[in-house]
Amino acid sequence: MDNYVDPLERLIKDRKDVSEYLEDFKEILGFLDEEKAWSKLEPIRDFFGRNVIAHFKYEEEVVFPVILSKCATPESIKLILELQREHGSILKELEEFQRIISESAIPLDKQMSERINIVGRRIMDSILPHASKEDDKLLPILQKNRQIFDR
């Protein structure tokens, strides 16, 4: 059985999934002292821990090396270096977020709620421009050079 997934299609799907979870995340930030909001945080935390990390790993192990070996330009090299640097800082923020959530219990005290909100907003402020850069710069490279991923 063939498990091949077109890299462009995978990145587009990943991007859509991230957008949906970020919208949910944005809705509950500021309300994490409420049990209802807190219950929505678990799936978001799990998604970040699984899917965002897997997305970054896929880009770094599959997409970026192929671009660099088959259609590198000064612009694409610069872009990939920027994206990799952003991956590192986003992953650090996600680790901090995971740690805070695992240390917390409902009901949250005001200080813990504020901490989660600050880290959550930093994650949003990092992921949104990163995703826009992928949409505006990385995906067009992949669309223009789809053949580089031919099996």
Side-chain angles (χ1 to χ4, degrees), residues 59 64 67 79 83 133-134 136-142:
E59 285 180 333
F64 296 167
I67 291 172
L79 173 65
L83 293 174
K133 196 176 293 179
E134 287 186 0
D136 298 343
K137 297 179 180 179
L138 182 63
L139 294 182
I141 291 170
L142 296 176

Side-chain angles (χ1 to χ4, degrees), residues 106-122:
I106 266 295
L108 287 178
D109 62 32
K110 189 165 179 63
Q111 183 181 14
M112 189 60 76
S113 181
E114 286 175 10
R115 233 176 112 202
I116 293 171
N117 282 308
I118 289 168
V119 173
R121 294 199 193 295
R122 279 198 329 246

Side-chain angles (χ1 to χ4, degrees), residues 23-58:
E23 280 301 311
D24 292 345
F25 193 39
K26 191 163 97 174
E27 284 179 21
I28 64 170
L29 283 176
F31 299 99
L32 292 173
D33 53 340
E34 299 174 13
E35 201 163 330
K36 184 179 176 187
W38 184 258
S39 68
K40 292 180 179 181
L41 191 60
E42 278 296 310
I44 293 168
R45 183 190 74 172
D46 292 346
F47 176 82
F48 284 160
R50 237 185 1 263
N51 299 62
V52 173
I53 292 168
H55 170 81
F56 289 171
K57 184 177 179 183
Y58 180 75

Side-chain angles (χ1 to χ4, degrees), residues 10-11 14-15 17-19 21-22 44-60 86-87 90-91 94 98 123 127 130 134:
R10 172 164 176 183
L11 293 181
D14 286 354
R15 174 70 171 93
D17 293 345
V18 167
S19 292
Y21 276 88
L22 286 177
I44 293 168
R45 183 190 74 172
D46 292 346
F47 176 82
F48 284 160
R50 237 185 1 263
N51 299 62
V52 173
I53 292 168
H55 170 81
F56 289 171
K57 184 177 179 183
Y58 180 75
E59 285 180 333
E60 296 208 10
E86 291 170 5
H87 286 176
I90 292 169
L91 288 173
L94 290 175
Q98 299 280 2
I123 290 169
I127 288 181
H130 179 82
E134 287 186 0

